[in-house]
Each structure stands twice: as structure tokens, then as C-alpha cells.
Amino acid sequence: AVATAAGDGAAGPAALRGAGPSAAIRLAAEDPLSTHVAWWRQHGAGVVDAGGPVLMLVFLMSGLENGIFGFIGIARALQYPLPAFVGCMGALFNTGGAVMVLVGLFISDALLVIAGAKMVIIFLIFASYSGHYKPLSSAEGQEKVKHQQSLANNVSLGGCLVMLIGHEIMQLSPSAPLIGPVVAFYLPLAPGISTVGRFLMVFPFVSAGAKLGVAGFTGIARHFGFPLPAISGFLAFLFSQLGSSLVLLSPFLPSRWSIGPFNAQVVTSIAGAKMLIIFLIIASYSGHFRPMVTSEGPEQRHHMLSLAKNVSIIGGMLIIIGFDLPRL
């Protein structure tokens, strides 16, 4: 497969099977690109395994911090009926769902991943509506901005989970006992589900770019004291908008298209995800980590939670990269 995708220069890695260490060293020196690509193709699953805990970070943090009684208190504060029952269900769907996703990824059990991701999505919907959407109508000023940001982050996190479900459906077999007919129904829909997930993942970035434009990003760069704010702002706009476009549009490219010896769908998807990761790292450090260190009380908690959500979204991007690497 490596030789087919990468041309004559990639024949070396295939020839390494059964060869000694000196042959591997010689090939790496003669054709470093093919060796590098072959290594990453083989370790895509490892990238997914690394991205899983990162994606689930914010949910695991919430579960450990709140516990069952904390979720019951939240349900009571939000005036849910039967707060004890709702709080227990919140803890189960948040923490239990996150653990199911991690275990499913680790043991390659697609059904467990799908079930866990659905549980976390249900939790996110209720938490987003009660905790951010409803207060949005009565909030003003900076408080309103915080709810908008949190809601946008939750939409992106939900998109990561929908994308994950779409990919895991493709791993199921229509001949599986009991669930075979259900799998046969959903299998043709899986690529569309994955694409919807990608759309939700990048929607907050696209909407922020449309609202702020280059001038808005330049103002943010100037506010946070970045050197050369005009260039920094333009690069932030470029990485967020071009990265989002590549992640979203890559599945629509014809599968026969290539960029050099590599599949165009995969190259654009990985490049877009990497651009968004770089954007998120810089934005998270400047916009949340530094203010978190110097703030206190509710303000500090807001920055900590926003930082955790951004890190989890980075985990979703890592999973995209890991899924794409074997097809490079």
C-alpha cells in the first residue's frame, strides 16, 4: 500500500520487511519522506488513542470535580424536576459515556464508542440548553459573551462526537448478529454523519471569522500584546478560516485527486486540522490560560472550563488526523 501511494520511492519501506537495521538506516537516508510517511501511516491508531483522552478531558474533569452530588446540586439549581434522578443521570451520561468512549477506542469496540458518544451528546444538549442557551436571553455584556462562547464550544464538542460516531459506524459489519439490519441501514449514512460532525466542529470558528473579520482578529492581537498585531491578526484569521474550510470540504474532493503522491482528501483534512490545532493552542494560551493564572473565583473557573473545552476540541482534531493517516 505504501509503494502504491507514494510511487517508486516508497518501495523501500516494503522491502524492509525482514531486512536488518542497516537496511532501514540506509533507506531512511536515501528516501526520508517515504520512510516518514510510512511511519505515520502505521501509527494513525496511536494518534487516535492519544486524541481520545484529550477529547474526553473536559467531561472527565467535570465528573471528578462534581461527583454525583455535584450533578444533583446543579439539577436542583437549574430547577429540574426530580433533581436527584436528573443529577444521577447527568453524572452517568457525562462520566460514564466518556469512559465508554475511551474504553471502546482502546479495545477497538465500535459499538461501545458509539453508545458512549451518544450518551455524552445527550448530556451536552441538556447542559447547553439549561446552562447557556436559557441564560443567554437575560444576560448582558460580558456575561452574555461568556454564554455565547461556552455554547459555541459545546457545539464544536458535539461535532467531534458526531464525527466519531460516523467513523465508528463504518467499522461495523452488516452481518453482525442482532444488530446487522440496523448496521445495514446506517452504513450508507455514515459518511454523511461524519461530515455533519465536521461541520459542527468548525462552525464556531467559521462564525467567529465571519463576525470579526481580519480587523477583529487584529484588534484581539493588539489587545493581547502580540508583536506585529496586523500580521498576527491576519494569520489568526487565515488559520481559523482556511483550516475550517479544509476540514469541512476535504470529504467532498474527488477520491481520485492527489497532491503529489498523496490522496488529496487526506492531505487537506490533516492540514486543516493542524491549522486549527495551532490556532487553538495560541488562542487558549492567550485568551484563557494567562487570564486564569491571574484571576480568581467565577472568572478563574470560566477560563479554566473554557481552556478545558478548547483542549478537548484539539483532541477531536487529533482523532481526525489519526483516522486519516492510514489513508495518506
Side-chain angles (χ1 to χ4, degrees):
V2 174
T4 301
D8 294 339
L16 279 180
R17 286 188 280 268
S22 59
I25 295 172
R26 186 169 62 254
L27 175 68
E30 294 173 354
D31 195 358
L33 177 60
S34 296
T35 305
H36 178 76
V37 171
W39 190 92
W40 279 110
R41 280 184 179 136
Q42 295 169 5
H43 292 83
V47 177
V48 174
D49 289 340
V54 179
L55 173 58
M56 292 296 112
L57 174 67
V58 68
F59 305 105
L60 295 174
M61 282 179 55
S62 176
L64 291 172
E65 180 184 0
N66 291 308
I68 293 177
F69 294 107
F71 280 103
I72 291 174
I74 293 171
R76 187 172 288 113
L78 295 174
Q79 299 182 336
Y80 275 97
L82 303 173
F85 173 76
V86 172
C88 289
M89 289 298 101
L92 175 64
F93 276 57
N94 172 80
T95 314
V99 171
M100 288 170 64
V101 169
L102 290 180
V103 173
L105 288 173
F106 183 74
I107 66 174
S108 300
D109 189 323
L111 271 180
L112 196 59
V113 174
I114 292 170
K118 286 182 176 180
M119 290 173 68
V120 178
I121 288 173
I122 291 170
F123 169 81
L124 263 178
I125 290 172
F126 279 93
S128 301
Y129 176 76
S130 302
H132 301 297
Y133 182 77
K134 283 177 69 177
L136 198 60
S137 59
S138 58
E140 295 180 355
Q142 194 61 29
E143 191 67 22
K144 186 170 186 176
V145 171
K146 289 179 181 178
H147 282 301
Q148 289 173 333
Q149 290 175 344
S150 297
L151 194 58
N153 282 342
N154 286 1
V155 169
S156 188
L157 284 170
C160 295
L161 295 166
V162 172
M163 177 275 301
L164 183 59
I165 289 172
H167 180 273
E168 293 302 306
I169 290 174
M170 299 181 209
Q171 313 310 308
L172 298 174
S173 171
S175 60
L178 299 179
I179 63 168
V182 179
V183 173
F185 174 79
Y186 278 103
L187 208 52
L189 303 177
I193 293 172
S194 182
T195 302
V196 169
R198 286 174 176 255
F199 171 78
L200 294 173
M201 286 176 73
V202 303
F203 176 75
F205 302 102
V206 175
S207 60
K211 180 180 179 181
L212 295 171
V214 176
F217 279 101
T218 301
I220 293 172
R222 187 172 290 111
H223 171 76
F224 285 113
F226 279 89
L228 303 172
I231 296 177
S232 298
F234 172 75
L235 289 176
F237 177 84
L238 177 67
F239 271 58
S240 65
Q241 301 309 296
L242 180 57
S244 298
S245 300
L246 293 177
V247 167
L248 180 59
L249 298 178
S250 59
F252 297 100
L253 296 178
S255 59
R256 65 181 183 277
W257 283 12
S258 62
I259 298 176
F262 308 116
N263 183 284
Q265 289 182 343
V266 176
V267 171
T268 53
S269 177
I270 292 176
K274 285 183 175 181
M275 293 179 76
L276 287 175
I277 288 174
I278 293 170
F279 170 79
L280 273 172
I281 290 173
I282 297 173
S284 299
Y285 175 75
S286 303
H288 296 298
F289 180 77
R290 287 173 61 187
M292 182 183 71
V293 174
T294 57
S295 58
E296 296 178 354
E299 187 70 16
Q300 185 180 58
R301 173 166 175 73
H302 165 73
H303 285 299
M304 182 178 69
L305 188 59
S306 297
L307 180 62
K309 289 181 178 182
N310 283 359
V311 171
S312 289
I313 295 169
I314 289 174
M317 300 296 170
L318 287 174
I319 289 176
I320 282 183
I321 293 172
F323 285 158
D324 284 335
L325 279 173
R327 301 189 298 119
L328 186 62

